[in-house]
Amino acid sequence: MIICEFHTSLVYNNKNNRMKNKIAIQELDDKSLQQQEFSYLEDRMLHQSAPHNDKLHLNAIPMKAEILFITSYPPRECGIATYSQDLIKALNNKFGTSFDLKVCALESGDETFDYPDEVNHILKTSNSQDYVELANYINQNNRIEIVLIQHEFGFFQMQEEAFLHFLQEITKPIIIVFHTVLPRPDKLFKAKVQHIANACTSIVVMTHISEQLLVNEYEVSQQKITVIAHGTHLVPHLSKDFLKEKYALTGKKVLTTFGLLSSGKSIETTLKALPAIVKTIPDVMFLVIGKTHPEVSKTDDETYRKMLVATVKELEIQDHVQFINSYFATPILLEYLQLTDIYLFTTNDPNQAVSGTFVYAMSCGCPIISTPIPHAKEVLTEDTGIIIDFQNSQQLADGAIRLLNDEPLRSHISTNTLQKIISTAWENSAVAHGMLFEKMDRNKIKLQYNLPLINMNHLKRMTTKTGVIQFSKVNQPDISTGYTLDDNARALVATCMYFQLTDRERSIHNIHKYLRFITECQQPDGSFLNYVDENLNFTEQNGTTNLDDSNGRAVWALGYVRSLTNVLPLEILAEAETALEKALTRFDTVYSPRAMAFAIKGLYYFLQSEKSPENLTLLKTLANRLVKMYKHESDGEWKWFEGYLTYANSILPEAMLYAWLVTEETNYKEIAISSFDFLLSQTFNENGIEVISNKHWLQKGEEAGHFGEQPIDVAYTIMTLSKFYDVFKNEDYHTKMEIAFNWFLGNNRLHQIIYNPCTGGCYDGLEETHVNLNQGAESTVSYLMARLTMEKYKNGK
């Protein structure tokens, strides 16, 4: 199989191993949260590579399948080079144990570079013999299973025939990634593209427009083509004011464009629009970020940049334009984009199929004004930006003035842009590429998802001095939504789990905070209220909502805390026990199945540290009520406690398991196993896990709906699977646990990440066509409970 990206030279590049130990757990220190989040983003982008031997034995038996990328590669300054490095990093982060990724870097002329360790070959694209030698090497190397070529026509224009012959000679499957697909080809050009397509097993393009061009104008089989959008970076969405201050742009309305500079960028279109913009908005600043394109610098001695500088002087807009003549590292570039009020993309090339600069701006939530390249026409709508005609400065000025004068509109467009672009995150691109690799070579490649680092940052961001805030807007806490007992009870459990794992004293402060929130919600009769507003007043919703389930979760959290006798300080244990004993005095009047189940779980933990005949009797009372419900509703095919499956389903069989562990009454065990296996049969299928939709409960005798999947239900399923596996050692439970956790990482119906490794937050749900970008407390804490559960199996079962 061949995947094409163009960089070539058959030269071994043996380097010292620079593998760095990975930090297993991430936690904030005393620096500001914004700086911490950016440091995390920066850390994720650092080069990470597996060690390789100084000598390559071609016929050695491989531990893992090798995929060879043929592409330009950093430190070469080239958009495709950056693209390839970002993709390889994402693939290693997501599937590092599934395959080895190596790079053959493309070079032209006399240029040479000091490459990172993953580059073990160089192809000089102007040397025809290099193509022959590289093809022989690939064919003889038993480790290489797939060849992926990043293709741009300019890469191979000096040796087109050698390149085409090279493709024909390779005996391994090839994937070629077309970064450009030109419309209206003449007969000769069409034949060249068809020749390339015929030599490859699979073709990747980045837009549906490119796909249709290949099918309709080049007569390429659609079955060969996979559309994988250009990847984008997840960003922490730092405050614009914070970043503008950092870069000395406080008080400015910032317009930005970036990329390697050439006349094709048509920067003058914006310069000619600026006088009109400045007249209306005098605090505007236009940033032109990027060095002159290396290929341009070889021939024109900065002629285009000099022309732009002269135009600025002629138009007398020197105070409103900054040329930043640098090729920034990605983290710095993303900060500039996050402070940007409008991103401008003014290329004059109507055939530019896709732009990395364009999608990077979208990933930072920038409202965009763009000329009508195919990529822009595919992703920009009136809700995500403005499309202008090529070289039309008046349209650009009108659009910029409209957006800069309407902050609510910019905010609306920013939110829509983030929703539109999230599916293209590099993590999702890695999933799409990984699935393609697996499809092409099922015998050698089986995707294994890496466990992400444990990252408590977003939970800490969501937590005030009172407790954890209920909701967020994207990843920004929304204090107007107040707090809930539910979220703080779950946060208490998750933080205790984290403390057990790390023994970090700083966690004690938050444990005490979440516990105090629970006790402040407790009423004189022992019951709890659930809803608290931002001013710390109980809301009217407490009087209109059944709070039994919330009370059950509080009992679970308190019981869990009380069980940690040799872990937590005595004052925390005592506070939890006092609240728990007070709460249990009224639980014999509770009949809500999930409330009873959560209470049984809390009682199980409490009884581990404090034997009590009264609490044992209460546990049996609640368990017997669940038994009665089960016997009333279950039949030969429907083995459940109710005539429907709704939310938090797995807590019911888990509660029966706990009841059996305490009492050893076999009917509890039998019902635990039969009901849990029934639930698993309804939520696991050939696609993985698909929990019950919150849009449509599964009624007895009906078909399940599968969009509206909530992280909390997946997390509860993982925790229940963990307990069942620990007790019964049934490997199927362990396998399903891993499958369920991979749902967060992209192994789901939409093949998109639900956990955001940049923020440490978790998206609020998997909808029919998209993920819900908000990262509220329920989803984030649920993910953390699932991730902390998985940690104990990381080094073996």
Side-chain angles (χ1 to χ4, degrees), residues 252-269:
K252 300 295 185 182
K253 297 289 180 63
V254 179
L255 313 176
T256 300
T257 192
F258 85 91
L260 293 170
L261 205 60
S262 68
S263 60
K265 298 287 187 182
S266 193
I267 305 298
E268 62 272 19
T269 301

Side-chain angles (χ1 to χ4, degrees), residues 568-613:
L568 295 176
L570 291 177
E571 62 270 21
I572 289 179
L573 297 174
E575 186 175 359
E577 182 171 343
T578 299
L580 181 56
E581 288 181 338
K582 188 176 179 181
L584 292 175
T585 59
R586 57 172 296 276
F587 246 85
D588 61 348
T589 64
V590 172
Y591 286 84
S592 170
R594 283 158 188 78
M596 293 190 294
F598 280 117
I600 289 171
K601 188 171 183 177
L603 283 163
Y604 166 80
Y605 283 118
F606 193 17
L607 288 166
Q608 302 308 297
S609 59
E610 189 72 31
K611 304 301 181 184
S612 163

Side-chain angles (χ1 to χ4, degrees), residues 475-492:
N475 69 318
Q476 301 302 312
D478 185 0
I479 187 60
S480 70
T481 65
Y483 308 85
T484 68
L485 172 70
D486 286 334
D487 292 331
N488 282 274
R490 285 185 286 257
L492 177 59

Side-chain angles (χ1 to χ4, degrees), residues 14 23 209 228 234 268 360 453 479 485 529 538 645 791:
N14 299 323
I23 298 172
I209 291 175
I228 303 177
L234 298 172
E268 62 272 19
Y360 278 25
L453 303 177
I479 187 60
L485 172 70
L529 298 182
F538 291 115
L645 290 170
E791 185 68 10

